Protein backbone atom coordinates (compact mmCIF):
# COMPACT_ATOMS: atom_id res chain seq x y z
CA UNK A 1 0.00 0.00 0.00
CA UNK A 2 1.52 3.31 -1.01
CA UNK A 3 1.34 6.50 0.99
CA UNK A 4 -1.13 8.63 -0.77
CA UNK A 5 -1.80 11.17 -2.04
CA UNK A 6 1.39 10.64 -4.00
CA UNK A 7 2.00 14.36 -4.36
CA UNK A 8 2.93 14.57 -0.71
CA UNK A 9 5.13 11.52 -0.50
CA UNK A 10 7.83 12.42 2.01
CA UNK A 11 11.47 11.39 2.27
CA UNK A 12 12.82 9.28 -0.57
CA UNK A 13 13.55 5.62 0.00
CA UNK A 14 11.13 5.44 2.86
CA UNK A 15 9.06 2.33 3.20
CA UNK A 16 5.34 2.85 2.84
CA UNK A 17 3.13 3.65 5.79
CA UNK A 18 1.66 0.13 5.87
CA UNK A 19 5.13 -1.39 6.31
CA UNK A 20 6.26 1.18 8.85
CA UNK A 21 3.10 0.65 10.90
CA UNK A 22 4.26 -2.94 11.46
CA UNK A 23 8.00 -2.42 11.88
CA UNK A 24 9.07 1.15 12.65
CA UNK A 25 10.75 2.02 15.91
CA UNK A 26 11.82 -1.48 16.80
CA UNK A 27 15.24 -3.13 16.33
CA UNK A 28 15.23 -6.13 13.99
CA UNK A 29 17.12 -8.12 16.61
CA UNK A 30 14.41 -8.66 19.21
CA UNK A 31 14.48 -9.50 22.87
CA UNK A 32 14.71 -13.33 23.17
CA UNK A 33 14.11 -13.44 19.40
CA UNK A 34 10.41 -12.91 20.05
CA UNK A 35 8.54 -11.50 17.04
CA UNK A 36 6.27 -9.38 19.23
CA UNK A 37 7.26 -6.47 21.46
CA UNK A 38 8.10 -7.37 25.07
CA UNK A 39 5.90 -5.89 27.77
CA UNK A 40 8.34 -4.65 30.37
CA UNK A 41 5.93 -4.74 33.28
CA UNK A 42 7.94 -2.99 35.95
CA UNK A 43 7.66 0.13 38.06
CA UNK A 44 11.40 0.48 38.60
CA UNK A 45 14.74 -0.40 37.01
CA UNK A 46 17.80 -1.54 38.93
CA UNK A 47 21.40 -0.34 38.84
CA UNK A 48 24.04 -3.09 38.74
CA UNK A 49 26.47 -1.02 40.87
CA UNK A 50 27.53 2.51 41.75
CA UNK A 51 29.38 2.88 38.45
CA UNK A 52 26.09 2.29 36.63
CA UNK A 53 24.49 5.01 38.77
CA UNK A 54 27.24 7.48 37.95
CA UNK A 55 27.23 6.65 34.24
CA UNK A 56 23.58 7.60 34.32
CA UNK A 57 23.60 10.61 36.63
CA UNK A 58 26.96 12.17 35.76
CA UNK A 59 27.64 11.03 32.19
CA UNK A 60 24.01 11.07 31.01
CA UNK A 61 24.10 7.51 29.68
CA UNK A 62 20.66 6.59 28.29
CA UNK A 63 18.86 4.03 30.44
CA UNK A 64 15.62 3.61 32.36
CA UNK A 65 15.29 4.54 36.02
CA UNK A 66 11.67 4.70 37.16
CA UNK A 67 8.61 3.88 35.08
CA UNK A 68 7.06 7.36 35.23
CA UNK A 69 10.19 8.66 33.45
CA UNK A 70 10.04 6.08 30.68
CA UNK A 71 9.58 2.43 29.86
CA UNK A 72 11.04 0.38 26.96
CA UNK A 73 7.64 -0.70 25.62
CA UNK A 74 6.53 2.95 25.59
CA UNK A 75 9.76 4.00 23.88
CA UNK A 76 8.98 1.68 20.98
CA UNK A 77 5.42 3.01 20.69
CA UNK A 78 6.82 6.57 20.68
CA UNK A 79 9.35 5.79 17.96
CA UNK A 80 6.71 4.09 15.81
CA UNK A 81 4.19 6.91 16.17
CA UNK A 82 6.85 9.55 15.42
CA UNK A 83 7.85 7.67 12.30
CA UNK A 84 4.25 7.38 11.05
CA UNK A 85 3.49 11.05 11.69
CA UNK A 86 6.80 12.21 10.24
CA UNK A 87 7.71 13.87 13.56
CA UNK A 88 11.10 14.15 15.22
CA UNK A 89 9.82 12.94 18.57
CA UNK A 90 6.77 11.72 20.44
CA UNK A 91 5.56 11.18 24.00
CA UNK A 92 2.80 8.69 24.77
CA UNK A 93 0.28 9.27 27.56
CA UNK A 94 -2.38 7.36 29.44
CA UNK A 95 -5.11 9.16 27.44
CA UNK A 96 -5.60 11.72 24.73
CA UNK A 97 -6.73 14.32 27.28
CA UNK A 98 -3.60 13.74 29.34
CA UNK A 99 -1.54 14.44 26.19
CA UNK A 100 -3.55 17.58 25.41
CA UNK A 101 -3.57 19.12 28.90
CA UNK A 102 0.09 18.35 29.59
CA UNK A 103 1.08 19.81 26.22
CA UNK A 104 -0.90 23.01 26.76
CA UNK A 105 0.43 23.52 30.30
CA UNK A 106 4.00 23.02 29.17
CA UNK A 107 3.68 25.83 26.61
CA UNK A 108 1.96 28.63 28.54
CA UNK A 109 2.70 30.93 31.45
CA UNK A 110 0.40 33.30 33.27
CA UNK A 111 -0.16 36.41 31.18
CA UNK A 112 -0.16 34.42 27.95
CA UNK A 113 -3.04 34.24 25.52
CA UNK A 114 -4.20 31.37 23.36
CA UNK A 115 -6.64 31.01 20.47
CA UNK A 116 -8.83 27.96 20.04
CA UNK A 117 -11.55 27.11 17.54
CA UNK A 118 -15.07 26.68 18.87
CA UNK A 119 -15.73 23.15 17.68
CA UNK A 120 -12.69 21.62 19.34
CA UNK A 121 -13.16 18.53 21.48
CA UNK A 122 -15.52 19.40 24.32
CA UNK A 123 -13.10 18.63 27.16
CA UNK A 124 -10.23 20.49 25.47
CA UNK A 125 -12.42 23.54 25.12
CA UNK A 126 -13.58 23.32 28.74
CA UNK A 127 -10.00 23.03 29.94
CA UNK A 128 -8.92 26.08 27.95
CA UNK A 129 -11.80 28.36 28.77
CA UNK A 130 -12.33 27.50 32.45
CA UNK A 131 -9.28 25.92 33.95
CA UNK A 132 -6.56 28.02 32.33
CA UNK A 133 -8.23 31.14 33.73
CA UNK A 134 -7.05 30.10 37.20
CA UNK A 135 -3.51 30.73 35.99
CA UNK A 136 -4.35 34.04 34.30
CA UNK A 137 -4.06 32.53 30.85
CA UNK A 138 -6.51 34.17 28.51
CA UNK A 139 -8.32 32.19 25.87
CA UNK A 140 -10.15 33.47 22.79
CA UNK A 141 -12.60 31.05 21.23
CA UNK A 142 -13.12 31.75 17.55
CA UNK A 143 -15.71 30.39 15.14
CA UNK A 144 -14.28 27.56 13.10
CA UNK A 145 -13.54 28.37 9.50
CA UNK A 146 -13.30 32.16 9.80
CA UNK A 147 -9.62 32.80 9.11
CA UNK A 148 -10.09 36.54 9.22
CA UNK A 149 -11.44 36.46 12.78
CA UNK A 150 -8.74 33.99 13.67
CA UNK A 151 -5.99 36.31 12.50
CA UNK A 152 -7.58 39.30 14.23
CA UNK A 153 -7.76 37.36 17.51
CA UNK A 154 -3.99 37.02 17.66
CA UNK A 155 -2.33 39.40 20.13
CA UNK A 156 1.23 40.19 21.14
CA UNK A 157 1.09 37.63 23.96
CA UNK A 158 -0.57 34.87 21.91
CA UNK A 159 1.38 31.68 22.36
CA UNK A 160 -0.46 29.29 20.07
CA UNK A 161 -3.47 28.50 17.90
CA UNK A 162 -5.17 25.25 18.81
CA UNK A 163 -7.47 23.51 16.41
CA UNK A 164 -8.71 20.18 15.29
CA UNK A 165 -9.34 18.64 11.90
CA UNK A 166 -11.66 17.01 11.07
CA UNK A 167 -13.88 18.17 13.93
CA UNK A 168 -16.75 16.64 15.76
CA UNK A 169 -19.58 16.24 14.77
CA UNK A 170 -19.68 18.25 11.52
CA UNK A 171 -16.31 17.06 10.24
CA UNK A 172 -15.17 20.57 9.48
CA UNK A 173 -11.74 20.77 7.92
CA UNK A 174 -9.15 23.27 9.08
CA UNK A 175 -7.14 24.65 6.17
CA UNK A 176 -3.58 23.80 7.19
CA UNK A 177 -2.00 25.88 4.43
CA UNK A 178 -3.91 29.02 5.46
CA UNK A 179 -3.24 28.52 9.13
CA UNK A 180 0.47 28.05 8.58
CA UNK A 181 0.65 31.41 6.78
CA UNK A 182 -1.22 33.19 9.58
CA UNK A 183 0.90 31.57 12.27
CA UNK A 184 4.11 32.56 10.48
CA UNK A 185 3.00 36.17 10.10
CA UNK A 186 2.49 36.43 13.87
CA UNK A 187 5.12 34.02 15.08
CA UNK A 188 2.77 31.78 17.05
CA UNK A 189 2.80 28.02 17.41
CA UNK A 190 0.20 25.78 15.76
CA UNK A 191 -1.26 22.81 17.62
CA UNK A 192 -3.59 20.43 15.88
CA UNK A 193 -5.63 17.55 17.22
CA UNK A 194 -5.53 15.13 14.29
CA UNK A 195 -7.34 12.24 16.00
CA UNK A 196 -10.15 11.92 13.44
CA UNK A 197 -7.66 11.84 10.57
CA UNK A 198 -4.75 9.67 11.80
CA UNK A 199 -1.42 9.82 9.94
CA UNK A 200 -2.98 7.66 7.23
CA UNK A 201 -5.30 10.44 6.13
CA UNK A 202 -3.39 13.58 7.14
CA UNK A 203 0.10 14.44 8.33
CA UNK A 204 -0.05 18.02 9.64
CA UNK A 205 3.70 18.22 10.23
CA UNK A 206 4.22 18.08 6.46
CA UNK A 207 2.13 21.27 6.34
CA UNK A 208 4.33 22.97 8.91
CA UNK A 209 2.17 22.49 12.00
CA UNK A 210 4.32 22.56 15.14
CA UNK A 211 2.55 20.02 17.31
CA UNK A 212 0.19 17.14 16.51
CA UNK A 213 -2.01 15.56 19.16
CA UNK A 214 -3.56 12.14 18.87
CA UNK A 215 -6.08 10.29 20.99
CA UNK A 216 -4.64 6.83 20.22
CA UNK A 217 -7.77 5.47 21.91
CA UNK A 218 -9.48 5.86 18.56
CA UNK A 219 -8.13 4.59 15.20
CA UNK A 220 -4.51 4.06 16.18
CA UNK A 221 -5.22 1.43 18.83
CA UNK A 222 -8.46 0.73 17.03
CA UNK A 223 -10.19 -1.97 19.07
CA UNK A 224 -12.25 0.00 21.61
CA UNK A 225 -10.23 -1.56 24.42
CA UNK A 226 -7.68 1.00 25.69
CA UNK A 227 -7.19 4.70 26.38
CA UNK A 228 -3.96 6.26 25.12
CA UNK A 229 -2.69 9.57 23.77
CA UNK A 230 0.33 11.02 22.03
CA UNK A 231 1.95 14.35 21.26
CA UNK A 232 4.31 14.70 18.32
CA UNK A 233 6.60 17.39 17.00
CA UNK A 234 10.09 18.87 17.00
CA UNK A 235 12.49 17.56 19.59
CA UNK A 236 12.94 20.85 21.45
CA UNK A 237 9.19 21.20 22.00
CA UNK A 238 8.66 17.55 22.85
CA UNK A 239 11.52 17.65 25.38
CA UNK A 240 9.66 20.31 27.37
CA UNK A 241 6.43 18.33 27.25
CA UNK A 242 8.20 15.14 28.29
CA UNK A 243 9.67 16.98 31.29
CA UNK A 244 6.28 18.15 32.50
CA UNK A 245 4.78 14.71 31.81
CA UNK A 246 7.21 13.30 34.39
CA UNK A 247 5.58 15.54 37.02
CA UNK A 248 2.00 15.31 35.80
CA UNK A 249 2.28 11.55 35.73
CA UNK A 250 -0.23 10.57 33.06
CA UNK A 251 1.95 7.57 32.34
CA UNK A 252 0.74 4.83 30.05
CA UNK A 253 0.93 1.29 31.39
CA UNK A 254 3.31 -1.05 29.47
CA UNK A 255 0.59 -3.59 28.77
CA UNK A 256 -1.60 -0.85 27.37
CA UNK A 257 1.36 0.22 25.23
CA UNK A 258 1.61 -3.29 23.88
CA UNK A 259 -2.04 -3.17 22.84
CA UNK A 260 -1.40 0.18 21.18
CA UNK A 261 1.55 -1.28 19.25
CA UNK A 262 -0.55 -4.25 18.22
CA UNK A 263 -3.36 -2.00 17.03
CA UNK A 264 -0.90 0.18 15.10
CA UNK A 265 0.17 -2.76 12.94
CA UNK A 266 -3.24 -2.93 11.28
CA UNK A 267 -4.28 0.71 11.45
CA UNK A 268 -3.49 1.53 7.78
CA UNK A 269 -5.57 -1.48 6.66
CA UNK A 270 -8.43 -0.52 8.93
CA UNK A 271 -8.45 3.17 8.07
CA UNK A 272 -8.25 2.47 4.34
CA UNK A 273 -11.29 0.22 4.65
CA UNK A 274 -13.11 2.63 6.97
CA UNK A 275 -12.50 5.49 4.50
CA UNK A 276 -14.09 3.47 1.70
CA UNK A 277 -16.94 2.16 3.80
CA UNK A 278 -17.81 5.56 5.33
CA UNK A 279 -17.82 7.21 1.90
CA UNK A 280 -20.21 4.55 0.54
CA UNK A 281 -22.48 4.92 3.57
CA UNK A 282 -22.42 8.72 3.28
CA UNK A 283 -23.34 8.53 -0.42
CA UNK A 284 -26.13 6.08 0.34
CA UNK A 285 -27.50 8.27 3.16
CA UNK A 286 -27.50 11.29 0.86
CA UNK A 287 -29.98 9.56 -1.46
CA UNK A 288 -32.29 8.35 1.32
CA UNK A 289 -35.66 10.16 1.50
CA UNK A 290 -35.72 10.20 5.33
CA UNK A 291 -32.36 11.96 5.59
CA UNK A 292 -32.23 15.72 5.85
CA UNK A 293 -28.49 16.27 5.56
CA UNK A 294 -25.24 14.29 5.51
CA UNK A 295 -21.85 15.58 6.66
CA UNK A 296 -18.78 13.83 5.29
CA UNK A 297 -15.68 15.72 4.12
CA UNK A 298 -15.24 13.64 0.95
CA UNK A 299 -18.80 14.32 -0.23
CA UNK A 300 -18.99 17.11 -2.82
CA UNK A 301 -21.81 18.65 -0.78
CA UNK A 302 -19.50 19.22 2.22
CA UNK A 303 -18.50 22.89 2.55
CA UNK A 304 -14.82 21.95 2.97
CA UNK A 305 -14.66 19.31 0.25
CA UNK A 306 -11.85 21.07 -1.66
CA UNK A 307 -9.66 21.62 1.38
CA UNK A 308 -10.33 18.07 2.57
CA UNK A 309 -9.39 16.41 -0.69
CA UNK A 310 -6.32 18.60 -0.95
CA UNK A 311 -4.89 17.87 2.47
CA UNK A 312 -6.26 14.40 3.21
CA UNK A 313 -5.96 10.93 1.71
CA UNK A 314 -9.46 9.87 2.74
CA UNK A 315 -12.44 11.33 4.56
CA UNK A 316 -12.09 9.06 7.61
CA UNK A 317 -14.52 6.70 9.25
CA UNK A 318 -17.01 9.15 10.76
CA UNK A 319 -20.23 10.22 9.02
CA UNK A 320 -22.70 12.60 10.63
CA UNK A 321 -26.27 13.00 9.48
CA UNK A 322 -29.52 14.67 10.37
CA UNK A 323 -32.74 12.75 9.90
CA UNK A 324 -36.19 14.18 9.21
CA UNK A 325 -38.58 14.26 12.16
CA UNK A 326 -38.42 15.02 15.87
CA UNK A 327 -36.48 13.94 18.94
CA UNK A 328 -38.95 11.09 19.17
CA UNK A 329 -38.16 9.94 15.62
CA UNK A 330 -34.48 10.04 16.55
CA UNK A 331 -35.03 7.87 19.63
CA UNK A 332 -37.09 5.34 17.63
CA UNK A 333 -34.35 5.14 14.99
CA UNK A 334 -31.67 4.49 17.65
CA UNK A 335 -33.74 1.87 19.42
CA UNK A 336 -34.35 0.00 16.16
CA UNK A 337 -30.66 -0.53 15.34
CA UNK A 338 -29.50 -4.13 15.65
CA UNK A 339 -25.89 -4.08 14.44
CA UNK A 340 -24.55 -0.59 15.24
CA UNK A 341 -23.99 -0.13 18.96
CA UNK A 342 -25.16 3.03 20.68
CA UNK A 343 -22.09 4.52 22.33
CA UNK A 344 -19.59 7.35 22.27
CA UNK A 345 -16.07 7.11 20.83
CA UNK A 346 -14.93 6.20 17.32
CA UNK A 347 -12.15 4.53 15.44
CA UNK A 348 -12.64 0.99 16.68
CA UNK A 349 -13.58 -2.16 14.80
CA UNK A 350 -17.21 -2.06 15.99
CA UNK A 351 -19.57 0.48 14.42
CA UNK A 352 -20.82 2.94 17.02
CA UNK A 353 -23.51 5.54 16.75
CA UNK A 354 -24.03 8.49 19.04
CA UNK A 355 -26.76 11.01 19.40
CA UNK A 356 -24.97 14.19 20.56
CA UNK A 357 -28.16 15.81 21.92
CA UNK A 358 -28.83 12.91 24.29
CA UNK A 359 -25.22 12.10 25.19
CA UNK A 360 -22.42 14.70 24.92
CA UNK A 361 -24.75 17.72 25.16
CA UNK A 362 -27.37 16.29 27.54
CA UNK A 363 -26.54 19.05 30.06
CA UNK A 364 -27.22 21.88 27.59
CA UNK A 365 -30.62 23.44 27.03
CA UNK A 366 -32.25 22.85 23.67
CA UNK A 367 -31.57 26.48 22.76
CA UNK A 368 -27.87 26.20 23.69
CA UNK A 369 -27.58 23.02 21.66
CA UNK A 370 -29.23 24.57 18.62
CA UNK A 371 -26.87 27.55 18.68
CA UNK A 372 -24.04 25.02 18.50
CA UNK A 373 -25.82 23.22 15.69
CA UNK A 374 -26.59 20.14 17.79
CA UNK A 375 -30.12 19.36 16.65
CA UNK A 376 -32.53 16.81 18.09
CA UNK A 377 -32.12 14.62 15.03
CA UNK A 378 -28.34 14.69 14.52
CA UNK A 379 -26.32 11.45 14.64
CA UNK A 380 -22.65 10.63 14.44
CA UNK A 381 -21.85 7.25 12.96
CA UNK A 382 -18.34 5.91 13.64
CA UNK A 383 -17.99 3.24 11.01
CA UNK A 384 -16.24 0.06 12.13
CA UNK A 385 -14.80 -2.70 9.97
CA UNK A 386 -17.96 -4.75 9.45
CA UNK A 387 -19.24 -5.32 5.93
CA UNK A 388 -20.49 -2.03 4.46
CA UNK A 389 -23.71 -3.58 3.14
CA UNK A 390 -24.54 -4.99 6.58
CA UNK A 391 -24.21 -1.54 8.14
CA UNK A 392 -26.36 0.00 5.41
CA UNK A 393 -29.02 -2.70 5.90
CA UNK A 394 -29.08 -1.99 9.64
CA UNK A 395 -29.50 1.77 9.03
CA UNK A 396 -32.13 1.16 6.36
CA UNK A 397 -34.22 -1.11 8.57
CA UNK A 398 -34.02 1.32 11.49
CA UNK A 399 -35.04 4.26 9.31
CA UNK A 400 -38.23 2.46 8.23
C1 LIG B 1 -11.40 11.14 22.10
C2 LIG B 1 -10.79 12.41 21.72
C3 LIG B 1 -9.96 13.11 22.61
C4 LIG B 1 -9.68 12.64 23.99
O1 LIG B 1 -8.95 11.45 24.00
P1 LIG B 1 -9.04 10.38 25.20
O2 LIG B 1 -8.12 9.30 24.73
O3 LIG B 1 -10.45 9.95 25.30
O4 LIG B 1 -8.57 11.07 26.42
C5 LIG B 1 -9.41 14.30 22.16
N1 LIG B 1 -9.66 14.78 20.94
C6 LIG B 1 -10.45 14.13 20.06
C7 LIG B 1 -10.69 14.72 18.73
C8 LIG B 1 -11.05 12.94 20.43
O5 LIG B 1 -11.84 12.30 19.57
Amino acid sequence: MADSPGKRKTAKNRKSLATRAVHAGEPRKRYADSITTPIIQTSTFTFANTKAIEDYTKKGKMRYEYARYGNPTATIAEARLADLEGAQDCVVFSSGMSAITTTILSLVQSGDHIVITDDSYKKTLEFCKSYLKQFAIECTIIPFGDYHILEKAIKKNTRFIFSESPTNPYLNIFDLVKIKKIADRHNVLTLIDSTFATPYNQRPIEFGMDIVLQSCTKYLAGHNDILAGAVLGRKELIDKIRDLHKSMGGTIDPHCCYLLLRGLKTFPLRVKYQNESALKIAQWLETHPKIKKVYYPFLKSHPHYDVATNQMTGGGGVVSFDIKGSLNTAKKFLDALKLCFIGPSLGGVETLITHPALVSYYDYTRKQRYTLGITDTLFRLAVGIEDTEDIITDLENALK
Side-chain angles (χ1 to χ4, degrees):
M1 199 191 304
D3 280 22
S4 44
K7 56 187 169 184
R8 275 198 305 281
K9 203 154 181 158
T10 40
K12 291 155 255 121
N13 306 325
R14 260 184 115 195
K15 299 244 178 348
S16 82
L17 194 79
T19 306
R20 290 185 282 124
V22 181
H23 296 290
E26 209 162 1
R28 186 164 170 82
K29 173 71 186 142
R30 305 283 163 91
Y31 179 75
D33 295 319
S34 131
I35 187 73
T36 56
T37 314
I39 303 168
I40 309 292
Q41 192 75 47
T42 187
S43 59
T44 191
F45 298 84
T46 59
F47 292 94
N49 48 38
T50 52
K51 181 176 178 304
I53 300 174
E54 283 172 358
D55 281 350
Y56 173 61
T57 55
K58 296 203 173 132
K59 297 183 189 156
K61 188 175 171 215
M62 167 61 200
R63 56 154 290 148
Y64 297 95
E65 177 194 339
Y66 182 66
R68 188 164 14 83
Y69 305 152
N71 168 287
T73 315
T75 303
I76 292 168
E78 288 171 352
R80 185 163 302 164
L81 285 165
D83 184 288
L84 297 172
E85 200 75 64
Q88 275 179 2
D89 203 358
C90 168
V91 188
V92 286
F93 293 79
S94 55
S95 71
M97 277 319 299
S98 180
I100 291 168
T101 52
T102 308
T103 297
I104 291 175
L105 288 176
S106 77
L107 297 175
V108 287
Q109 301 183 12
S110 59
D112 280 350
H113 169 250
I114 65 169
V115 175
I116 182 166
T117 48
D118 63 353
D119 65 351
S120 294
Y121 189 70
K122 197 176 164 217
K123 288 288 165 199
T124 306
L125 211 50
E126 272 176 26
F127 177 79
C128 289
K129 70 178 180 197
S130 330
Y131 194 73
L132 288 182
K133 234 191 240 155
Q134 295 180 28
F135 304 99
I137 293 150
E138 196 199 345
C139 167
T140 305
I141 301 169
I142 55 129
F144 192 97
D146 194 325
Y147 299 94
H148 183 66
I149 294 183
L150 168 61
E151 182 153 17
K152 278 194 17 195
I154 299 174
K155 307 180 189 186
K156 275 212 184 72
N157 57 342
T158 304
R159 194 63 186 116
F160 61 75
I161 303 165
F162 189 109
S163 191
E164 221 172 277
S165 192
T167 63
N168 178 39
Y170 287 111
L171 306 160
N172 287 322
I173 307 295
F174 201 48
D175 190 326
L176 301 179
V177 175
K178 272 193 189 149
I179 213 64
K180 170 73 181 148
K181 282 189 190 143
I182 296 174
D184 282 352
R185 277 201 286 274
H186 301 274
N187 196 23
V188 296
L189 293 172
T190 45
L191 275 61
I192 180 145
D193 181 336
S194 191
T195 299
F196 274 50
T198 81
Y200 184 87
N201 281 332
Q202 162 179 288
R203 288 176 297 280
I205 287 180
E206 292 172 11
F207 289 82
M209 298 297 109
D210 295 295
I211 288 182
V212 175
L213 293 140
Q214 291 284 355
S215 166
C216 308
T217 308
K218 315 293 166 54
Y219 294 96
L220 298 176
H223 291 73
N224 289 324
D225 55 3
I226 63 162
L227 292 183
V231 55
L232 304 108
R234 286 194 300 283
K235 189 162 181 316
E236 92 248 21
L237 289 170
I238 299 297
D239 277 348
K240 277 185 72 173
I241 299 164
R242 193 188 298 281
D243 265 355
L244 183 62
H245 176 47
K246 291 174 183 176
S247 301
M248 302 287 283
T251 315
I252 189 168
D253 173 81
H255 183 254
C256 192
C257 244
Y258 173 82
L259 290 172
L260 169 57
L261 281 161
R262 183 165 77 168
L264 277 175
K265 293 181 194 189
T266 56
F267 111 85
L269 291 175
R270 286 183 281 105
V271 172
K272 180 175 195 279
Y273 181 78
Q274 283 163 311
N275 279 341
E276 290 163 6
S277 198
L279 178 60
K280 277 187 209 149
I281 293 168
Q283 286 166 339
W284 174 80
L285 284 167
E286 240 184 0
T287 63
H288 197 286
K290 293 199 175 149
I291 300 294
K292 212 182 322 177
K293 188 139 179 57
V294 184
Y295 305 88
Y296 187 71
F298 271 43
L299 280 182
K300 288 219 172 71
S301 58
H302 194 281
H304 306 142
Y305 172 80
D306 289 337
V307 185
T309 49
N310 181 48
Q311 71 189 32
M312 295 173 74
T313 304
V318 177
V319 182
S320 294
F321 56 96
D322 216 323
I323 66 171
K324 291 180 184 161
S326 61
L327 183 60
N328 214 27
T329 327
K331 285 184 183 170
K332 277 196 195 141
F333 165 68
L334 269 188
D335 290 334
L337 290 165
K338 294 205 160 55
L339 174 66
C340 307
F341 277 103
I342 306 172
S345 201
L346 58 131
V349 293
E350 292 93 0
T351 295
L352 298 172
I353 189 161
T354 141
H355 184 262
L358 286 178
V359 187
S360 327
Y361 295 87
Y362 76 94
D363 51 347
Y364 286 55
T365 65
R366 190 164 185 275
K367 195 165 166 235
Q368 281 174 324
R369 276 196 287 107
Y370 271 73
T371 24
L372 294 171
I374 308 295
T375 66
D376 286 342
T377 44
L378 177 72
F379 293 93
R380 184 188 77 190
L381 184 74
V383 178
I385 62 163
E386 301 95 337
D387 183 78
T388 312
E389 286 307 316
D390 289 341
I391 299 170
I392 289 180
T393 305
D394 193 37
L395 296 171
E396 184 161 39
N397 290 336
L399 282 168
K400 271 180 195 156

